[in-house]
Amino acid sequence: MKSNKALVKVMRPPEPEKESIAPLVREMLTKLGEDPTREGLERTPQRVDQAMRFLTSGYQADIKKLVNGALYEVKYDEMVVVKDIEFFSMCEHHMLPFFGKIHVAYLPRHKVIGLSKIPRIVDAFARRLQIQERLTQDVAQTIQDVLEPVGVGVICEARHFCMMMRGVEKQHSGAMTSAMLGAFRDRKSTRDEFLSLVNH
Ligand SMILES: [Zn+2]
């Protein structure tokens, strides 16, 4: 995939305090043939409002703030790999969950980042309406922008509810995407090292 700075920066966070979507959820329940006043559904619109706000809270994430104080100047030029980062996101086509694991690697140039920040970067982009390809690219590009490393590699393995729930034969289908920047794109040996570390 090609690197594209604009991709990450263009996202406009919505105003944090907005109208509740609960009335819309109530209307949706009615249109689906449900009775939103029955006991089990009474508080559902408010719960959906809360849940959706959490699941899209990545729009408000401030990457600069998030990595602030966790960048370290070091003389370390071996590959850093953080693998099996669990994530949960929502596909923008059906607003159904997709989830899986992301593996991140980079070759430092002169900076490293606190390891715990990488899963937080993943969450910042997963908690939005996404497609798997863009999520993968967003994580790679952000690490590229923040650390300016020699290269970044990101692999994402995911299963999509919109595929799993809508067709019996697709229940086990998974999708894999990757974004390779710098040395990870240009050097096969670097890419292979990453792949072998991830597959262990
Ligand atoms: Zn979908």
Side-chain angles (χ1 to χ4, degrees), residues 17-25 43-56:
E17 224 32 75
K18 283 179 308 173
E19 253 180 280
S20 168
I21 61 168
L24 300 174
V25 177
R43 298 219 355 102
T44 297
Q46 284 85 350
R47 288 192 207 101
V48 173
D49 179 66
Q50 290 302 308
M52 290 302 289
R53 277 175 206 288
F54 175 74
L55 296 174
T56 57

Side-chain angles (χ1 to χ4, degrees), residues 18-74:
K18 283 179 308 173
E19 253 180 280
S20 168
I21 61 168
L24 300 174
V25 177
R26 208 168 293 121
E27 193 185 334
M28 183 175 82
L29 287 169
T30 307
K31 291 200 167 153
L32 290 172
E34 263 292 358
D35 171 12
T37 62
R38 75 175 169 85
E39 209 193 343
L41 290 178
E42 229 174 341
R43 298 219 355 102
T44 297
Q46 284 85 350
R47 288 192 207 101
V48 173
D49 179 66
Q50 290 302 308
M52 290 302 289
R53 277 175 206 288
F54 175 74
L55 296 174
T56 57
S57 58
Y59 290 121
Q60 273 91 45
D62 183 338
I63 299 294
K64 266 201 194 111
K65 231 191 207 163
L66 198 153
V67 302
N68 198 20
L71 299 178
Y72 309 100
E73 300 270 337
V74 282

Side-chain angles (χ1 to χ4, degrees), residues 14-160:
E15 306 89 67
E17 224 32 75
K18 283 179 308 173
E19 253 180 280
S20 168
I21 61 168
L24 300 174
V25 177
R26 208 168 293 121
E27 193 185 334
M28 183 175 82
L29 287 169
T30 307
K31 291 200 167 153
L32 290 172
E34 263 292 358
D35 171 12
T37 62
R38 75 175 169 85
E39 209 193 343
L41 290 178
E42 229 174 341
R43 298 219 355 102
T44 297
Q46 284 85 350
R47 288 192 207 101
V48 173
D49 179 66
Q50 290 302 308
M52 290 302 289
R53 277 175 206 288
F54 175 74
L55 296 174
T56 57
S57 58
Y59 290 121
Q60 273 91 45
D62 183 338
I63 299 294
K64 266 201 194 111
K65 231 191 207 163
L66 198 153
V67 302
N68 198 20
L71 299 178
Y72 309 100
E73 300 270 337
V74 282
K75 279 213 181 312
Y76 181 81
D77 59 2
E78 296 296 321
M79 191 178 293
V80 178
V81 181
V82 182
K83 63 177 204 170
D84 296 330
I85 303 168
E86 267 192 343
F87 76 89
F88 298 88
S89 188
M90 250 189 321
C91 85
E92 67 185 21
H93 301 136
H94 305 92
M95 293 179 76
L96 286 171
F98 70 97
F99 65 99
K101 285 172 179 176
I102 287 189
H103 316 290
V104 174
Y106 66 94
L107 272 175
R109 193 183 303 275
H110 37 238
K111 272 188 274 184
V112 296
I113 185 169
L115 291 178
S116 68
K117 297 294 182 182
I118 292 180
R120 298 197 54 201
I121 291 172
V122 169
D123 281 344
F125 290 102
R127 288 177 188 155
R128 304 173 186 215
L129 298 181
Q130 273 287 13
I131 59 171
Q132 185 179 339
E133 293 87 339
R134 191 173 62 226
L135 171 62
T136 311
Q137 186 67 34
D138 283 350
V139 171
Q141 192 59 53
T142 298
I143 291 171
Q144 178 65 40
D145 292 347
V146 166
L147 288 177
E148 295 169 337
V150 177
V152 186
V154 176
I155 294 174
C156 176
E157 307 171 51
R159 301 179 70 196
H160 294 248

